[in-house]
Coordinates of all heavy atoms in Angstrom, one line a residue:
R8 N -52.7 39.2 -7.7 CA -52.0 39.0 -9.0 C -51.9 40.4 -9.7 O -50.9 40.7 -10.2 CB -52.6 37.9 -9.8 CG -51.9 36.6 -9.8 CD -52.3 35.7 -11.0 NE -53.7 35.4 -11.0 CZ -54.4 34.6 -10.2 NH1 -53.8 33.9 -9.3 NH2 -55.7 34.4 -10.4
A9 N -53.0 41.1 -9.7 CA -53.1 42.4 -10.4 C -52.3 43.5 -9.7 O -51.8 44.4 -10.3 CB -54.5 42.8 -10.7
A10 N -52.3 43.4 -8.3 CA -51.6 44.4 -7.5 C -51.0 43.7 -6.3 O -51.5 43.7 -5.2 CB -52.7 45.4 -7.0
P11 N -49.8 43.2 -6.6 CA -49.1 42.5 -5.5 C -48.8 43.3 -4.3 O -48.7 42.7 -3.2 CB -47.7 42.1 -6.2 CG -48.0 42.1 -7.7 CD -49.1 43.2 -7.9
R12 N -48.7 44.6 -4.4 CA -48.5 45.4 -3.3 C -49.6 45.4 -2.2 O -49.4 45.7 -1.0 CB -48.3 46.9 -3.7 CG -49.6 47.6 -4.1 CD -49.4 49.0 -4.7 NE -50.6 49.6 -5.0 CZ -51.4 49.3 -6.0 NH1 -51.0 48.3 -6.8 NH2 -52.6 49.9 -6.2
L13 N -50.8 44.9 -2.6 CA -51.9 44.7 -1.7 C -52.0 43.4 -1.0 O -52.9 43.2 -0.2 CB -53.2 45.0 -2.5 CG -53.4 46.2 -3.2 CD1 -54.7 46.3 -4.0 CD2 -53.3 47.4 -2.3
D14 N -51.0 42.6 -1.2 CA -51.0 41.2 -0.6 C -51.1 41.2 0.9 O -52.0 40.5 1.4 CB -49.7 40.5 -1.1 CG -49.7 39.0 -0.5 OD1 -50.6 38.3 -0.8 OD2 -48.8 38.7 0.3
R15 N -50.3 42.0 1.5 CA -50.3 42.0 3.0 C -51.7 42.4 3.5 O -52.3 41.9 4.4 CB -49.3 43.0 3.6 CG -49.2 43.0 5.1 CD -48.1 44.0 5.6 NE -48.1 44.0 7.0 CZ -48.9 44.9 7.7 NH1 -49.7 45.7 7.1 NH2 -48.8 44.9 9.0
G16 N -52.3 43.5 3.0 CA -53.6 44.0 3.4 C -54.7 43.0 3.1 O -55.6 42.8 4.0
V17 N -54.6 42.3 2.0 CA -55.6 41.3 1.7 C -55.5 40.1 2.7 O -56.5 39.6 3.2 CB -55.5 40.8 0.2 CG1 -56.3 39.5 0.0 CG2 -55.9 41.9 -0.7
R18 N -54.3 39.7 3.0 CA -54.0 38.6 3.9 C -54.6 39.0 5.3 O -55.2 38.2 6.0 CB -52.6 38.2 4.0 CG -52.2 37.3 2.8 CD -50.8 36.7 2.9 NE -49.8 37.8 2.7 CZ -49.0 38.2 3.6 NH1 -48.9 37.6 4.8 NH2 -48.1 39.1 3.4
L19 N -54.4 40.2 5.7 CA -54.9 40.7 7.0 C -56.4 40.6 7.1 O -57.0 40.2 8.1 CB -54.4 42.1 7.3 CG -53.0 42.3 7.8 CD1 -52.6 43.8 7.8 CD2 -52.8 41.7 9.2
L20 N -57.0 41.1 6.0 CA -58.5 41.1 6.0 C -59.0 39.7 6.0 O -60.0 39.4 6.8 CB -59.0 41.8 4.7 CG -59.1 43.4 4.8 CD1 -59.5 43.9 3.4 CD2 -60.0 43.8 5.9
V21 N -58.5 38.8 5.2 CA -59.0 37.4 5.2 C -58.7 36.8 6.5 O -59.6 36.0 7.0 CB -58.3 36.7 4.0 CG1 -58.6 35.2 4.1 CG2 -58.8 37.2 2.6
G22 N -57.6 37.1 7.1 CA -57.3 36.5 8.4 C -58.2 36.9 9.5 O -58.5 36.2 10.4
E23 N -58.8 38.1 9.4 CA -59.7 38.6 10.4 C -61.0 37.9 10.3 O -61.8 37.9 11.3 CB -59.9 40.1 10.2 CG -58.8 40.9 10.7 CD -59.2 42.4 10.8 OE1 -60.1 42.8 10.1 OE2 -58.4 43.1 11.5
H24 N -61.4 37.2 9.3 CA -62.6 36.5 9.2 C -62.8 35.5 10.3 O -63.9 35.3 10.8 CB -62.8 35.8 7.8 CG -62.9 36.8 6.7 ND1 -62.9 36.4 5.4 CD2 -63.1 38.1 6.7 CE1 -63.0 37.5 4.6 NE2 -63.2 38.6 5.4
A25 N -61.7 34.8 10.7 CA -61.7 33.8 11.8 C -62.1 34.5 13.1 O -62.9 34.0 13.9 CB -60.4 33.0 11.8
A26 N -61.5 35.7 13.3 CA -61.7 36.3 14.6 C -63.2 36.9 14.6 O -63.8 36.8 15.7 CB -60.8 37.5 14.7
I27 N -63.7 37.3 13.5 CA -65.1 37.8 13.5 C -66.0 36.6 13.7 O -67.0 36.7 14.4 CB -65.3 38.5 12.1 CG1 -64.6 39.9 12.1 CG2 -66.8 38.8 11.9 CD1 -64.6 40.5 10.8
S28 N -65.8 35.5 13.0 CA -66.6 34.3 13.2 C -66.6 33.9 14.7 O -67.6 33.5 15.2 CB -66.1 33.2 12.3 OG -66.4 33.6 10.9
A29 N -65.4 33.9 15.3 CA -65.3 33.5 16.7 C -66.0 34.4 17.6 O -66.7 33.9 18.5 CB -63.8 33.4 17.1
A30 N -66.0 35.7 17.4 CA -66.7 36.7 18.2 C -68.2 36.5 18.0 O -69.0 36.5 19.0 CB -66.3 38.1 17.9
L31 N -68.7 36.2 16.8 CA -70.1 36.0 16.6 C -70.5 34.7 17.3 O -71.6 34.7 17.9 CB -70.4 35.9 15.1 CG -71.8 35.7 14.6 CD1 -72.7 36.8 15.2 CD2 -71.9 35.7 13.1
A32 N -69.8 33.6 17.1 CA -70.1 32.4 17.7 C -70.2 32.5 19.2 O -71.1 32.0 19.9 CB -69.1 31.3 17.4
A33 N -69.2 33.3 19.9 CA -69.2 33.4 21.3 C -70.5 34.2 21.7 O -71.1 33.9 22.8 CB -68.0 34.2 21.7
L34 N -70.9 35.2 21.0 CA -72.1 36.0 21.3 C -73.3 35.0 21.2 O -74.2 35.0 22.1 CB -72.2 37.2 20.4 CG -73.5 38.0 20.5 CD1 -73.7 38.5 21.9 CD2 -73.5 39.1 19.5
Q35 N -73.4 34.3 20.1 CA -74.5 33.4 19.9 C -74.6 32.4 21.0 O -75.7 32.1 21.5 CB -74.4 32.7 18.6 CG -74.7 33.5 17.4 CD -74.4 32.9 16.1 OE1 -73.5 32.1 15.9 NE2 -75.2 33.2 15.0
H36 N -73.5 31.8 21.4 CA -73.4 30.9 22.5 C -73.9 31.5 23.8 O -74.7 30.9 24.6 CB -72.0 30.3 22.7 CG -71.9 29.4 23.8 ND1 -72.4 28.1 23.8 CD2 -71.3 29.5 25.0 CE1 -72.2 27.5 24.9 NE2 -71.5 28.3 25.7
A37 N -73.4 32.7 24.1 CA -73.7 33.4 25.4 C -75.2 33.7 25.5 O -75.8 33.5 26.6 CB -72.9 34.7 25.5
V38 N -75.9 34.1 24.4 CA -77.3 34.5 24.5 C -78.2 33.2 24.7 O -79.3 33.3 25.1 CB -77.8 35.3 23.3 CG1 -77.0 36.6 23.3 CG2 -77.7 34.6 22.0
R39 N -77.6 32.1 24.3 CA -78.4 30.8 24.5 C -78.3 30.2 25.9 O -79.1 29.3 26.3 CB -77.9 29.8 23.5 CG -78.3 30.2 22.0 CD -77.9 29.1 21.1 NE -78.3 29.5 19.7 CZ -77.4 29.5 18.7 NH1 -76.2 29.1 18.9 NH2 -77.8 29.9 17.5
L40 N -77.4 30.7 26.7 CA -77.1 30.1 28.0 C -78.3 30.7 28.9 O -78.5 31.8 29.0 CB -75.8 30.5 28.6 CG -74.6 30.0 27.8 CD1 -73.3 30.6 28.5 CD2 -74.6 28.5 28.0
P41 N -78.8 29.7 29.7 CA -79.9 30.2 30.7 C -79.1 31.0 31.8 O -78.0 30.7 32.2 CB -80.4 28.9 31.3 CG -79.5 27.9 30.9 CD -78.7 28.3 29.7
G42 N -79.7 32.1 32.1 CA -79.2 32.9 33.2 C -78.0 33.8 32.8 O -77.3 34.3 33.7
V43 N -77.6 33.9 31.6 CA -76.5 34.7 31.2 C -76.8 36.2 31.6 O -78.0 36.6 31.4 CB -76.2 34.6 29.7 CG1 -77.3 35.2 28.8 CG2 -74.9 35.2 29.4
S44 N -75.8 36.9 32.1 CA -76.0 38.2 32.5 C -76.0 39.2 31.3 O -75.4 38.9 30.3 CB -74.9 38.6 33.5 OG -73.7 38.8 32.8
A45 N -76.7 40.3 31.5 CA -76.7 41.3 30.5 C -75.3 41.9 30.3 O -74.9 42.2 29.1 CB -77.6 42.5 30.9
D46 N -74.4 41.9 31.3 CA -73.1 42.4 31.2 C -72.3 41.4 30.2 O -71.5 41.9 29.5 CB -72.4 42.5 32.5 CG -72.9 43.6 33.4 OD1 -73.4 44.6 32.8 OD2 -72.7 43.5 34.6
E47 N -72.5 40.1 30.4 CA -71.8 39.2 29.5 C -72.2 39.3 28.0 O -71.4 39.4 27.2 CB -72.1 37.7 30.0 CG -71.5 36.7 29.1 CD -70.0 36.6 29.2 OE1 -69.4 37.1 30.2 OE2 -69.4 36.0 28.3
V48 N -73.5 39.5 27.8 CA -74.0 39.7 26.4 C -73.4 41.0 25.9 O -73.0 41.1 24.7 CB -75.5 39.7 26.4 CG1 -76.0 40.1 25.0 CG2 -76.0 38.3 26.7
R49 N -73.5 42.0 26.7 CA -72.9 43.3 26.3 C -71.4 43.2 25.9 O -71.0 43.7 25.0 CB -73.2 44.3 27.4 CG -73.1 45.8 27.0 CD -73.5 46.8 28.1 NE -73.8 46.3 29.4 CZ -75.0 46.1 29.8 NH1 -76.1 46.2 29.1 NH2 -75.2 45.7 31.1
A50 N -70.6 42.5 26.7 CA -69.2 42.4 26.5 C -69.0 41.6 25.2 O -68.1 42.0 24.4 CB -68.6 41.6 27.7
R51 N -69.7 40.5 25.0 CA -69.5 39.7 23.7 C -70.0 40.6 22.5 O -69.3 40.5 21.5 CB -70.4 38.5 23.8 CG -70.0 37.5 24.9 CD -68.7 36.9 24.7 NE -68.4 35.9 25.7 CZ -67.4 35.2 25.8 NH1 -66.5 35.3 24.8 NH2 -67.1 34.4 26.8
T52 N -71.0 41.4 22.7 CA -71.5 42.2 21.6 C -70.4 43.3 21.3 O -70.1 43.6 20.1 CB -72.8 42.9 22.0 OG1 -73.8 41.9 22.2 CG2 -73.3 43.8 20.8
R53 N -69.8 43.9 22.3 CA -68.8 44.9 22.1 C -67.6 44.3 21.4 O -67.0 44.9 20.5 CB -68.4 45.4 23.5 CG -67.6 46.6 23.5 CD -67.2 47.2 24.8 NE -68.4 47.1 25.8 CZ -68.3 46.4 27.0 NH1 -67.2 45.8 27.3 NH2 -69.3 46.3 27.7
D54 N -67.2 43.0 21.8 CA -66.1 42.4 21.1 C -66.4 42.1 19.6 O -65.5 42.4 18.8 CB -65.8 41.0 21.7 CG -65.2 41.1 23.1 OD1 -64.8 42.2 23.5 OD2 -65.3 40.1 23.8
L55 N -67.6 41.7 19.3 CA -68.0 41.5 17.9 C -67.9 42.9 17.2 O -67.4 43.0 16.0 CB -69.4 40.9 17.8 CG -69.9 40.8 16.4 CD1 -69.0 39.9 15.5 CD2 -71.4 40.2 16.4
L56 N -68.5 43.9 17.7 CA -68.6 45.2 17.1 C -67.2 45.8 16.9 O -66.9 46.4 15.8 CB -69.4 46.2 17.9 CG -70.9 45.9 17.9 CD1 -71.7 46.8 18.8 CD2 -71.5 45.9 16.4
R57 N -66.3 45.6 17.8 CA -64.9 46.0 17.6 C -64.2 45.3 16.5 O -63.5 45.9 15.7 CB -64.1 45.8 18.9 CG -64.2 46.8 19.9 CD -63.2 46.6 21.1 NE -63.6 47.4 22.2 CZ -63.8 46.9 23.4 NH1 -63.7 45.6 23.6 NH2 -64.2 47.7 24.4
A58 N -64.4 44.0 16.4 CA -63.8 43.2 15.3 C -64.4 43.7 14.0 O -63.6 43.8 13.0 CB -64.1 41.7 15.5
L59 N -65.7 43.9 13.9 CA -66.3 44.4 12.7 C -65.8 45.7 12.3 O -65.6 46.1 11.1 CB -67.8 44.4 12.8 CG -68.5 43.0 12.8 CD1 -70.0 43.1 13.2 CD2 -68.3 42.3 11.4
D60 N -65.7 46.6 13.3 CA -65.2 48.0 13.0 C -63.7 47.9 12.5 O -63.5 48.7 11.5 CB -65.3 48.9 14.3 CG -64.9 50.3 14.0 OD1 -65.4 50.9 13.1 OD2 -63.9 50.8 14.7
R61 N -62.9 47.2 13.1 CA -61.5 47.1 12.7 C -61.5 46.5 11.2 O -60.8 47.0 10.4 CB -60.8 46.1 13.6 CG -59.4 45.8 13.1 CD -58.6 44.9 14.0 NE -57.5 44.2 13.4 CZ -56.3 44.8 13.3 NH1 -56.1 46.1 13.7 NH2 -55.3 44.2 12.7
H62 N -62.3 45.6 11.0 CA -62.3 45.0 9.6 C -62.8 46.0 8.5 O -62.2 46.1 7.5 CB -63.3 43.8 9.6 CG -63.2 42.9 8.4 ND1 -62.1 42.2 8.1 CD2 -64.1 42.6 7.4 CE1 -62.3 41.5 7.0 NE2 -63.5 41.7 6.6
R63 N -63.8 46.8 8.9 CA -64.3 47.8 8.0 C -63.2 48.8 7.8 O -63.0 49.2 6.6 CB -65.5 48.5 8.6 CG -66.1 49.6 7.7 CD -66.9 50.6 8.5 NE -66.3 51.2 9.6 CZ -65.4 52.2 9.4 NH1 -65.1 52.7 8.2 NH2 -64.8 52.8 10.4
R64 N -62.5 49.3 8.8 CA -61.4 50.2 8.6 C -60.3 49.7 7.8 O -59.8 50.4 6.9 CB -60.9 50.7 10.0 CG -61.8 51.7 10.7 CD -61.3 52.3 11.9 NE -61.4 51.3 13.0 CZ -60.4 50.7 13.7 NH1 -59.1 51.1 13.3 NH2 -60.5 49.9 14.6
L65 N -59.9 48.5 8.0 CA -58.8 47.9 7.2 C -59.2 47.7 5.8 O -58.4 48.0 4.8 CB -58.4 46.5 7.8 CG -57.5 46.6 9.1 CD1 -57.3 45.2 9.6 CD2 -56.2 47.3 8.8
G66 N -60.5 47.4 5.6 CA -61.0 47.3 4.2 C -61.0 48.6 3.5 O -60.6 48.7 2.4
A67 N -61.4 49.6 4.2 CA -61.5 51.0 3.6 C -60.0 51.4 3.3 O -59.8 52.1 2.3 CB -62.1 52.0 4.6
D68 N -59.1 51.2 4.2 CA -57.7 51.5 4.0 C -57.1 50.8 2.8 O -56.4 51.4 2.0 CB -56.8 51.2 5.2 CG -57.1 52.1 6.4 OD1 -57.8 53.2 6.2 OD2 -56.7 51.8 7.5
L69 N -57.5 49.6 2.6 CA -57.0 48.8 1.5 C -57.6 49.3 0.2 O -56.8 49.5 -0.8 CB -57.4 47.3 1.6 CG -56.9 46.4 0.6 CD1 -55.4 46.3 0.6 CD2 -57.5 45.0 0.8

Side-chain angles (χ1 to χ4, degrees):
R8 257 194 307 282
R12 72 185 184 289
L13 302 177
D14 180 62
R15 181 179 178 275
V17 169
R18 282 187 289 113
L19 283 172
L20 280 175
V21 170
E23 284 190 343
H24 292 172
I27 291 169
S28 293
L31 179 57
L34 175 59
Q35 289 173 325
H36 177 72
V38 298
R39 290 185 182 126
L40 294 174
V43 67
S44 71
D46 287 339
E47 177 70 17
V48 172
R49 198 172 6 261
R51 300 288 182 179
T52 302
R53 195 174 323 119
D54 291 345
L55 175 60
L56 291 174
R57 277 192 197 119
L59 289 169
D60 182 57
R61 175 181 160 79
H62 193 67
R63 182 203 55 79
R64 282 185 285 115
L65 286 174
D68 290 348
L69 184 64

